[in-house]
Structures are given as structure tokens and as C-alpha cells.
């Protein structure tokens, strides 16, 4: 099988997959937001272009050749719309006119037979796309930084870095007679853009850390590819193709992994949403939101009837000192043997990894099972905040209705 075809197809499919992962992540985190709509449009145009050209390479020339060229002509306009939204400023009118006119011209030229239009149409498209990306990078780098927040400035820097990375690699996507380029590399730049853009969902990650991680991923991929080249004794052309495939695979894996981690973080933030949006009518209603948390495997409210078999004095003393008690704390020397037996029995009876105090009078506990995050410091802090809020809600309810505290 043709090595050029396999390498080009793999890199393009990997880039299209990375774009789809990023679009899904953006729409899930920010549904309906204007900037996300603009970015999704641009990413969708790129995904269509990449997927349709792979179909052309594998023999389905019509209508996918026309679709590929039309989408390619739309790329600078899509990038311009996104940059305007990111900067919250209008681009110069000359940029808008050129991007719009170019998209219309190439939508018409896409219908010309290749035998008539090659190679001048390909050269014109290359110049148009290079000029468009260069103009957008300049627009981002020359912005008024004081008009944007720190996070917005970091976002603009990452996007500009991605556009500048695309420029040298974009030229490899255009092949001309006498210049046999081993593999089209624009897909690598697109994957880098997807990874950097997806990293914006992690506000705690510094820009420098993102660049270092990107360099580490690329270095790992090149090292692995280099080992394959040495083992197989490949020629120069095949070696470049192998290195490109390794880079595309590693970057796509990083994008998918980050998407999974971001989704897990969003699910874990359910406790924070509970604090912000929980039902404050009473403690039972408030803790009901905790039952729907992704990492909580069951939650029970334990009142005097459920605690009747245990020494109330011991429980009151323990939970006065530890409003939130983990199973791992029970075995510490802080508790005597009798107290440990009671706490172990209570946790085993209700299958609990945590016990939290809901109210003091009457003594009410909540038993929940959260084994996956039992030792996560952040989760413990969030759960402690939930416990304190639940106790405040219960005390407020008791003050409004003193009969409930008797």
C-alpha cells in the first residue's frame, strides 16, 4: 500500500477526530455561548475539509473534491470570526472584505475540473490561507492587552501560538510536481491547536506549563518514532512518515485523555454546585442533591431510630470533634477500642465510607459511600463544606420550628 496515502490519511483522520472531541467538549461546557458557536463553526469547517479530502484520496472524488476546496476557502473567514469574538473587537474592514471575497471565489473555483485549474488554483489557495493565518496571528499579537482579562489574554496567546505553528506546516499540505513532500503536516498543527484550546478549560494550568507539556508529548512521540525507524532501518521518506504518524497518535491520545479528565472534573464539581444551588428548605432536601453526585454511591440519613443500638454519648463526643469522619480515621489511636468497635459497626451496617453530622439536637448523621475519592484532599474539603452547610440548614430549620429539635 502507498506509504504517502496511509500517512496522509492517518494524520488527517487524527486531526478531524481531535476537532470533533474539542467541539463536543466546548458545547458541553459552554452551551449556546457566542464565542463557542464561532469557534465550533471554524472547527467544523476544518473537520469537514479533512474528512472530505481523505475520501477524495481513497477514490470518492465527487462531490468531496468540491466540498474540500469550498471548506478550505472558508477557513480564513472562520478564523477571522473567531478572533473577533475572542478579542471582543471588530477586525479591520480590509480583513473582512478579503476573507469574505476569498471564500466566495474559492466556492466557485471548486467546481472547475482539476485538469483546468491545476496548479494555479492550488497555489492561490495556499497563498490565501497563509495570508489569512498570518493576518489573524498579527491581529491577536497586536491586541490591546489592557482591554482583556488575564485569562482572555492567555487564551489569545495560545491561539496565536497555534496559528503561528500552522504557518510552516500548512505549506506541506500542498503538493506540486517535482516537490515530493513525504507527509502533509497541517494535521499535526491542528492537533496542537485542539490540545492547547482544550487546556483553556483548566484555568489552574499556566501557559508555560501547557507549552512544556506540549513539548514533552512531541518529544515522546519523536523518540518512539525514532526507535521504530532505527529498528526497521527505514529510508528518509518513510522515516518522516512514521514520525508524523507517531506525533499525530500521541497528540490525539492527549486530547482524548484531557477530555475525559475535564469531564471527570465537571462531575466532581457537583458538590460545589450543590453548595451554590442546593435546596435550603431543610437538611434532607439539601443532602438529596448529594445523592445525585457522580461519585456518591448511596446516602442515608440516620436519625435516633437508626442510632438506637449505639451509645449516644460516645457518638455525640466523636462527632463534636469530627463533624466529618472517614473510615480511615476510625483505626487511629485517638479512639479507644470501644469507640472503634461502635464506629466500625455503624459504618459496616450502612456500607459507609464517611459519616457526617447533620445536626446536634437531635443527633442526626448522614452515611455515604464515596470510596473512589476517599483519600482526595480536594474532595474532602468539598465534602466538609457540604457537611457544614447541611448543619447550618438543619439549625436554621430547628430555629424556625423548635418542635423539630425536641
Amino acid at each position: 500500500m502507498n506509504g504517502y496515502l496511509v500517512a496522509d490519511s492517518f494524520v488527517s483522520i487524527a486531526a478531524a477526530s481531535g476537532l470533533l472531541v474539542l467541539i463536543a467538549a466546548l458545547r458541553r461546557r459552554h452551551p449556546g455561548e457566542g464565542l463557542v458557536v464561532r469557534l465550533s463553526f471554524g472547527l467544523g469547517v476544518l473537520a469537514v475539509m479533512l474528512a472530505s479530502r481523505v475520501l477524495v484520496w481513497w477514490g470518492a472524488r465527487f462531490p468531496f473534491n468540491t466540498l474540500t476546496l469550498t471548506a478550505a476557502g472558508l477557513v480564513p473567514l472562520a478564523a477571522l470570526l473567531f478572533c473577533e469574538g475572542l478579542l471582543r473587537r471588530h477586525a479591520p474592514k480590509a480583513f473582512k472584505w478579503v476573507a469574505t471575497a476569498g471564500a466566495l471565489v474559492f466556492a466557485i473555483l471548486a467546481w472547475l475540473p482539476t485538469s483546468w485549474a491545476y496548479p494555479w488554483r492550488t497555489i492561490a489557495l495556499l497563498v490565501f490561507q497563509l495570508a489569512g493565518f498570518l493576518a489573524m496571528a498579527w491581529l491577536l499579537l497586536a491586541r490591546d492587552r489592557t482591554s482583556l482579562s488575564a485569562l482572555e489574554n492567555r487564551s489569545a496567546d495560545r491561539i496565536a501560538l497555534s496559528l503561528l505553528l500552522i504557518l510552516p506546516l500548512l505549506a506541506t499540505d500542498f503538493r506540486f510536481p517535482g516537490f515530493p513532500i513525504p507527509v502533509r503536516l497541517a494535521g499535526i498543527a491542528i492537533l496542537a491547536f485542539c490540545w492547547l484550546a482544550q487546556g483553556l478549560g483548566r484555568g489552574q494550568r499556566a501557559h508555560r506549563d501547557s507549552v512544556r507539556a506540549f513539548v514533552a508529548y512531541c518529544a515522546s512521540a519523536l523518540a518512539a518514532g525514532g526507535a521504530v525507524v532505527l529498528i526497521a532501518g527505514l529510508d528518509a521518506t518513510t522515516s518522516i512518515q512514521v514520525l508524523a504518524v507517531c506525533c499525530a497518535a500521541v497528540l490525539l491520545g492527549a486530547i482524548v485523555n484531557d477530555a475525559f479528565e475535564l469531564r471527570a472534573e465537571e462531575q466532581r464539581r457537583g458538590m460545589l454546585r450543590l453548595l451554590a444551588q442546593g435546596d435550603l428548605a431543610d437538611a434532607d432536601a439539601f443532602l438529596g442533591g448529594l445523592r445525585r453526585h457522580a461519585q456518591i454511591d448511596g446516602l442515608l440519613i440516620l436519625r435516633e431510630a437508626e442510632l438506637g443500638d449505639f451509645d449516644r454519648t460516645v457518638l455525640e463526643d466523636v462527632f463534636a470533634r469530627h463533624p466529618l469522619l472517614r473510615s480511615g480515621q476510625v483505626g487511629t489511636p485517638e479512639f479507644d477500642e470501644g469507640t472503634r468497635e461502635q464506629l466500625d459497626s455503624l459504618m459496616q451496617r450502612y456500607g459507609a465510607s464517611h459519616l457526617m453530622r447533620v445536626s446536634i439536637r437531635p443527633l442526626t448523621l448522614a452515611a455515604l459511600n464515596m470510596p473512589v475519592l476517599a483519600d482526595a484532599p480536594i474532595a474532602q474539603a468539598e465534602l466538609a463544606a457540604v457537611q457544614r452547610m447541611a448543619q447550618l440548614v438543619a439549625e436554621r430549620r430547628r430555629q424556625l420550628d423548635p418542635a423539630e429539635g425536641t
Side-chain angles (χ1 to χ4, degrees):
M1 185 174 289
N2 190 323
Y4 290 89
L5 178 60
V6 173
D8 286 341
S9 299
F10 185 92
V11 172
S12 294
I13 291 172
S17 301
L19 289 167
L20 294 177
V21 171
L22 178 58
I23 291 172
L26 290 171
R27 290 185 173 179
R28 186 178 64 252
R29 294 203 307 264
H30 312 288
E33 290 192 11
L35 181 60
V36 172
V37 172
R38 292 182 180 220
L39 179 55
S40 297
F41 170 70
L43 299 178
V45 168
L46 281 174
V48 168
M49 183 192 74
L50 293 167
S52 59
R53 77 178 186 177
V54 171
L55 292 173
V56 171
W57 296 337
W58 287 86
R61 299 195 61 83
F62 185 82
F64 295 108
N65 191 48
T66 301
L67 182 60
T68 300
L69 292 169
T70 301
L74 274 172
V75 169
L77 178 60
L80 176 63
L81 293 174
F82 170 66
C83 289
E84 282 189 326
L86 184 64
L87 298 177
R88 292 187 276 115
R89 296 287 188 276
H90 286 289
K93 288 186 178 180
F95 286 11
K96 295 182 179 182
W97 279 108
V98 171
T100 304
L104 292 174
V105 168
F106 282 103
I108 296 171
L109 294 179
W111 293 92
L112 295 178
T114 302
S115 58
W116 294 2
Y118 188 82
W120 61 266
R121 182 177 62 187
T122 303
I123 296 173
L125 180 59
L126 171 60
V127 172
F128 179 58
Q129 286 193 345
L130 285 174
F133 283 121
L134 188 60
M136 293 309 103
W138 174 84
L139 190 65
L140 292 174
L141 293 174
R143 68 188 182 278
D144 179 9
R145 291 180 174 269
T146 60
S147 65
L148 302 176
S149 67
L151 182 58
E152 288 173 328
N153 276 310
R154 187 165 66 222
S155 302
D157 286 336
R158 290 190 182 185
I159 302 303
L161 175 65
S162 301
L163 292 176
L164 291 174
L165 181 62
I166 287 175
L167 287 175
L169 299 183
L170 181 63
T172 65
D173 267 30
F174 296 83
R175 287 192 175 132
F176 301 98
F179 297 93
I181 299 174
V183 61
R184 292 174 169 90
L185 295 173
I188 303 294
I190 291 172
L191 286 167
F193 168 82
C194 291
W195 186 77
L196 290 171
Q198 188 164 247
L200 294 174
R202 294 180 164 183
Q204 72 275 17
R205 177 184 285 177
H207 179 63
R208 184 182 301 174
D209 294 335
S210 296
V211 174
R212 287 174 177 172
F214 173 72
V215 172
Y217 279 127
C218 290
S220 300
L222 292 175
V228 173
V229 168
L230 293 175
I231 292 171
L234 304 177
D235 57 45
T237 297
T238 307
S239 297
I240 295 174
Q241 292 168 348
V242 168
L243 293 174
V245 167
C246 289
C247 282
V250 169
L251 288 175
L252 179 59
I255 292 168
V256 173
N257 180 67
D258 274 10
F260 286 147
E261 289 186 357
L262 283 170
R263 186 155 191 168
E265 288 178 7
E266 291 166 8
Q267 291 176 340
R268 188 183 58 78
R269 291 191 189 107
M271 284 195 220
L272 297 179
R273 285 193 293 269
L274 174 62
L275 291 172
Q277 305 170 4
D279 188 346
L280 302 181
D282 56 51
D284 286 10
F286 176 75
L287 290 173
L290 197 59
R291 292 189 179 94
R292 296 185 291 273
H293 191 278
Q295 302 294 341
I296 301 296
D297 184 17
L299 182 143
L300 297 172
I301 305 298
L302 308 179
R303 295 182 173 82
E304 290 188 333
E306 290 80 11
L307 300 174
D309 293 338
F310 301 92
D311 190 326
R312 177 167 176 165
T313 302
V314 171
L315 294 181
E316 287 180 349
D317 176 66
V318 169
F319 288 99
R321 291 179 286 126
H322 300 281
L324 176 64
L325 186 69
R326 294 182 292 112
S327 58
Q329 294 176 271
V330 175
T332 61
E334 178 182 357
F335 304 111
D336 58 41
E337 184 176 351
T339 302
R340 286 199 295 269
E341 288 180 357
Q342 294 217 34
L343 294 175
D344 280 334
S345 176
L346 182 59
M347 287 187 167
Q348 290 176 11
R349 175 179 295 186
Y350 295 104
S353 63
H354 293 69
L355 292 171
M356 67 168 66
R357 185 182 67 197
V358 178
S359 69
I360 301 173
R361 292 187 180 83
L363 180 63
T364 306
L365 304 178
L368 58 97
N369 186 23
M370 193 173 59
V372 175
L373 297 180
D375 296 321
I378 294 178
Q380 292 301 315
E382 292 175 349
L383 197 55
V386 169
Q387 182 276 325
R388 179 164 293 189
M389 179 64 77
Q391 183 172 318
L392 291 174
V393 171
E395 290 178 358
R396 173 176 171 271
R397 180 68 178 176
R398 184 168 59 85
Q399 291 172 358
L400 293 176
D401 187 2
E404 290 195 2
T406 60

